[in-house]
Amino acid sequence: MTFFITIPIIIYSIVWLDELDKFVIHEKGNDWFVFQYFSRKIVVFGELIKAGEEIIYYRPLVRYLFALIHYIFGQSYYPQMIIEIWFILFSVFLFYLTANLIFNNKKLSFLFAALLLFLFFTDSFKIIIGKGLSEFYALLPIAFLTYFFLNNKIRTIKLTQMFLLGLI
């Protein structure tokens, strides 16, 4: 499994090495432009509560995550790209653990994880990895919660109550 985790990191690190000292300006109208714009407002102007807009239409957690990354690493876009790869790889690992809980078969779980990695790094997803889309960042909490709920065998009633509390 470590082979499947280290190879994408090495490949993307080499491919994106020229991005290390660049400040990326995205095209207006894209999601990644909006998230970078909001994170800049948080870091530069200190808009922690407002976070760039009066009423939050876009996903709020990503802008704070990007702001934290830019606060720690500066204007370079490279750390954000590598962190996105780590989110994907940890999510695939958690889905491997989840599949192992469901199927109780390590070979089948490994096949499932390898298929998921194959889809991420060979399909059209590979083009948008590193752009800063919130879907890749949302994948890790979803994978973690799926593993957590299946591992702890939480009853359906409690799960429904948690879901309803999450809506509030």
Side-chain angles (χ1 to χ4, degrees):
M1 189 69 180
T2 56
F3 172 77
F4 286 110
I5 291 176
T6 54
I7 293 302
I9 289 292
I10 292 170
I11 290 172
Y12 276 97
S13 296
I14 292 169
V15 169
W16 290 335
L17 196 57
D18 63 331
E19 300 289 329
L20 191 56
D21 60 348
K22 291 182 182 174
F23 177 71
V24 178
I25 299 175
H26 297 290
E27 303 130 6
K28 281 190 171 184
N30 293 333
D31 282 353
W32 41 81
F33 170 78
V34 173
F35 297 141
Q36 294 301 323
Y37 174 73
F38 291 152
S39 68
R40 183 180 190 289
K41 287 223 173 206
I42 293 169
V43 172
V44 175
F45 299 117
E47 294 183 6
L48 290 174
I49 303 297
K50 203 161 77 167
E53 57 185 348
E54 296 294 325
I55 299 172
I56 295 180
Y57 292 111
Y58 290 93
R59 289 149 308 277
L61 184 61
V62 175
R63 67 185 76 183
Y64 289 108
L65 180 66
F66 289 171
L68 179 68
I69 291 170
H70 287 304
Y71 185 76
I72 294 171
F73 296 107
Q75 291 183 352
S76 176
Y77 196 63
Y78 184 78
Q80 183 176 325
M81 295 161 68
I82 295 299
I83 288 171
E84 192 167 314
I85 295 288
W86 279 107
F87 269 62
I88 292 169
L89 293 176
F90 284 136
S91 300
V92 168
F93 179 69
L94 284 170
F95 280 125
Y96 163 77
L97 294 176
T98 304
N100 200 18
L101 284 174
I102 294 171
F103 303 123
N104 202 14
N105 185 347
K106 289 190 178 190
K107 290 181 182 177
L108 188 61
S109 303
F110 180 77
L111 182 67
F112 177 72
L115 177 66
L116 193 57
L117 271 178
F118 179 77
L119 288 175
F120 273 125
F121 294 115
T122 60
D123 199 22
S124 60
F125 289 114
K126 71 179 178 185
I127 298 169
I128 58 175
I129 290 177
K131 299 281 189 188
L133 290 178
S134 62
E135 288 80 1
F136 295 124
Y137 294 97
L139 184 64
L140 185 63
I142 291 170
F144 175 74
L145 288 174
T146 304
Y147 175 72
F148 176 77
F149 286 140
L150 287 175
N151 194 25
N152 291 324
K153 296 178 180 46
I154 296 176
R155 295 183 322 192
T156 309
I157 296 170
K158 284 212 174 235
L159 188 62
T160 307
Q161 290 171 350
M162 286 190 211
F163 176 75
L164 291 175
L165 284 175
L167 289 178
I168 297 174

